[in-house]
Amino acid sequence: MVTLILAGGEGERLSILSQVRAKPGVPFGGKYRIIDFTLSNVVNSGLTDVGILTQYAPRSLIDHIGVGRPWDLDRSRGGVALLQPFIGRGRARDWYRGTADAVLQNLDFIADRDPELVLVLAGDHVYKMDYRPFLALHREKRAEVTCAVRTVPIEEAHRFGILSVDEEGRVTAFVEKPDDPPSNLVSMGVYVFSWPLLRELLTVDRVDFGRDVLPAMVADGRRVYGYEFGGYWQDVGTVESYWRTSLDLLSDDPGIELNDLGWLIYTKSEDRPPARIGREAVVSRSMISHGCVVDGRVEHSILSPGVRVAAGATVKDSIVMFDAEIGPGAVLDRAILDKEAWIGSGARVGVGDDLRPNRDEPERLASGITLVGKRARVPSGVEIGRNCRIDPGAVERDFGTGGRVGSGETIFAASAAS
């Protein structure tokens, strides 16, 4: 068995959260990264020969994965390999043009291992799945490819590949991301292929599994089967779904239980002191990671390691990533702060009831969530409305002298514009 995790996606719908990193490398759930869930599923399922296909802004992801030690993948046989696009002598290569093309460009990696099966996974979903029953069904049905499927709300189905299956579980139709979905049974981006068939199927004109490979196989009457997965699974591909899925972790009955000792989610964890909650602090229904110092109020929020909340500050319905600082008397409401962001004293982020969409990204920022980018500095006393975007690296002078950023506005970093 060889496992390939597709982790090169740009993730444009996550706006500035994926501007400086690949989507699978975005922090999630306090101390984790999104890819940790897929990678932990792999090792918890007993699979130890893993290739991670990276491409867009890979530095953060490469630093996070390293040699795979947190997942017990630092081994001489098998283990983890980070696979990036390359140009080989005597043959022209290009950037990965799609999921199938990414695997095609790494056929040598698979051929060196000559496996029976190849498991292909998306690296940007949040779920727990034991792949062993999935692989057993593939063998039982003598399938050529098996695709994990599940139902989603019909209003979200247009974002996925849509399948139809017969009473035996055989896929009878597959259409990728239709504008008007015929059903809400969708592909999870989890595939297992018989290796000789995969080698035969992949060609330069078949760029994407969902758009090119699977529809062609179904049309040709190949043995394509669906495996219905009934557990929790979320595609955190939009700002709203990322925010909602993150805060779902705080519910009384979360869809995915991080405290399940029988199925741990592994990650690279830094050496930091325990979280410290001050004398006047108030913390309710929140997740506070190690290294945090909280002297203010935190309500229904997630703090990554190293976050500091000063006295008199309030953090509500928000996600605050590694080493961000919220100054005295500042207020965050329905906001996402990226790593090392700084909020000045008395500043208010997420103000008012005006939900006008962001003027630069109306399709991505329209649900009232305000984003503050990596290492951005919000001046003391400034008020920032809803659906605002504060770009990575923005500093105090980029805000001008008005003292207020209206809903739907964007603050650009002058250094990025020059």
Side-chain angles (χ1 to χ4, degrees):
M1 172 69 65
V2 167
T3 301
L4 299 178
I5 300 177
L6 305 175
E10 187 172 353
E12 292 181 344
R13 293 177 298 166
L14 282 176
S15 184
I16 56 175
L17 299 180
S18 56
Q19 182 173 318
V20 295
R21 58 174 75 90
K23 178 181 168 186
V26 172
F28 181 86
K31 71 174 188 175
Y32 304 100
R33 305 289 180 130
I34 294 174
I35 196 173
D36 291 337
F37 292 84
T38 299
L39 199 49
S40 296
N41 289 340
V42 169
V43 297
N44 285 331
S45 298
L47 308 176
T48 59
D49 199 348
V50 184
I52 299 177
L53 280 60
T54 66
Q55 175 166 273
Y56 171 79
R59 189 181 72 173
S60 176
L61 196 60
I62 291 171
D63 178 67
H64 179 67
I65 300 296
V67 296
R69 183 167 292 116
W71 303 271
D72 192 28
L73 290 174
D74 53 332
R75 51 184 67 205
S76 56
R77 298 186 63 183
V80 65
L82 293 158
L83 306 172
Q84 296 178 248
F86 65 95
I87 296 176
R89 178 175 296 178
R91 54 182 177 181
R93 295 282 180 117
D94 200 352
W95 296 111
Y96 298 149
R97 298 173 297 152
T99 54
D101 184 64
V103 176
L104 174 66
Q105 293 198 38
N106 287 282
L107 285 184
D108 290 349
F109 174 81
I110 308 172
D112 286 345
R113 289 149 175 80
D114 194 25
E116 173 199 356
L117 303 176
V118 180
L119 180 63
V120 180
L121 307 171
D124 53 5
H125 298 152
V126 174
Y127 67 118
K128 290 183 179 180
M129 180 178 178
D130 188 341
Y131 300 121
R132 286 169 290 196
F134 172 62
L135 301 173
L137 177 77
H138 179 82
R139 291 187 172 104
E140 175 190 331
K141 297 292 187 180
R142 295 182 292 108
E144 293 175 298
V145 60
T146 302
C147 175
V149 302
R150 65 165 295 117
T151 57
V152 299
I154 189 65
E155 62 271 16
E156 298 180 12
H158 68 278
R159 295 166 45 204
F160 306 96
I162 307 296
L163 303 94
S164 297
V165 298
D166 62 20
E167 62 278 4
E168 299 295 324
R170 188 161 180 169
V171 178
T172 57
F174 189 107
V175 57
E176 179 74 354
K177 299 179 181 177
D179 293 332
D180 186 17
S183 79
N184 63 339
L185 184 67
V186 307
S187 166
M188 294 170 53
V190 173
Y191 314 114
V192 59
F193 291 88
S194 299
W195 162 231
L197 173 72
L198 181 63
R199 184 162 41 188
E200 168 196 329
L201 287 173
L202 295 182
T203 61
V204 292
D205 58 336
R206 289 177 171 169
V207 173
D208 191 80
F209 283 118
R211 189 176 66 244
D212 304 315
V213 176
L214 291 176
M217 291 185 68
V218 173
D220 290 344
R222 307 299 290 256
R223 296 183 63 82
V224 181
Y225 279 84
Y227 171 86
E228 189 156 2
F229 176 68
Y232 181 89
W233 176 83
Q234 290 291 334
D235 178 359
V236 288
T238 67
V239 171
E240 183 178 8
S241 65
Y242 172 84
W243 177 84
R244 185 181 65 249
T245 303
S246 296
L247 295 188
D248 278 350
L249 297 171
L250 306 177
S251 66
D252 293 336
D253 186 20
I256 189 165
E257 179 55 75
L258 298 180
N259 293 321
D260 180 5
L261 299 182
W263 197 272
L264 289 174
I265 304 301
Y266 301 97
T267 190
K268 176 185 176 182
S269 190
E270 300 172 345
D271 291 329
R272 294 178 184 255
R276 191 182 76 201
I277 311 298
R279 179 189 297 272
E280 304 298 327
V282 177
V283 178
S284 63
R285 207 176 181 184
S286 295
M287 186 178 293
I288 312 297
S289 301
H290 54 299
C292 289
V293 177
V294 178
D295 290 307
R297 178 179 291 268
V298 180
E299 304 174 14
H300 196 234
S301 296
I302 296 176
L303 308 188
S304 289
V307 170
R308 303 179 74 90
V309 180
T314 297
V315 178
K316 180 180 179 182
D317 296 330
S318 296
I319 299 164
V320 186
M321 298 183 190
F322 295 72
D323 297 308
E325 294 190 33
I326 297 93
V331 176
L332 302 185
D333 184 9
R334 202 177 169 93
I336 302 175
L337 269 62
D338 207 336
K339 295 176 65 173
E340 300 173 31
W342 181 85
I343 309 299
S345 60
R348 299 179 66 197
V349 179
V351 175
D353 299 321
D354 183 358
L355 297 181
R356 76 183 70 178
N358 185 270
R359 64 180 181 179
D360 298 291
E361 296 185 295
E363 72 287 358
R364 296 171 188 159
L365 290 174
S367 59
I369 300 165
T370 287
L371 300 182
V372 180
K374 186 175 180 179
R375 297 198 181 102
R377 294 179 60 86
V378 173
S380 297
V382 75
E383 288 192 355
I384 300 174
R386 308 288 182 181
N387 295 320
C388 293
R389 192 188 84 196
I390 313 301
D391 278 1
V395 295
E396 290 92 329
R397 65 176 178 271
D398 296 321
F399 287 77
T401 58
R404 178 171 173 80
V405 179
S407 292
E409 295 297 310
T410 298
I411 297 297
F412 297 97
S415 57
S418 60

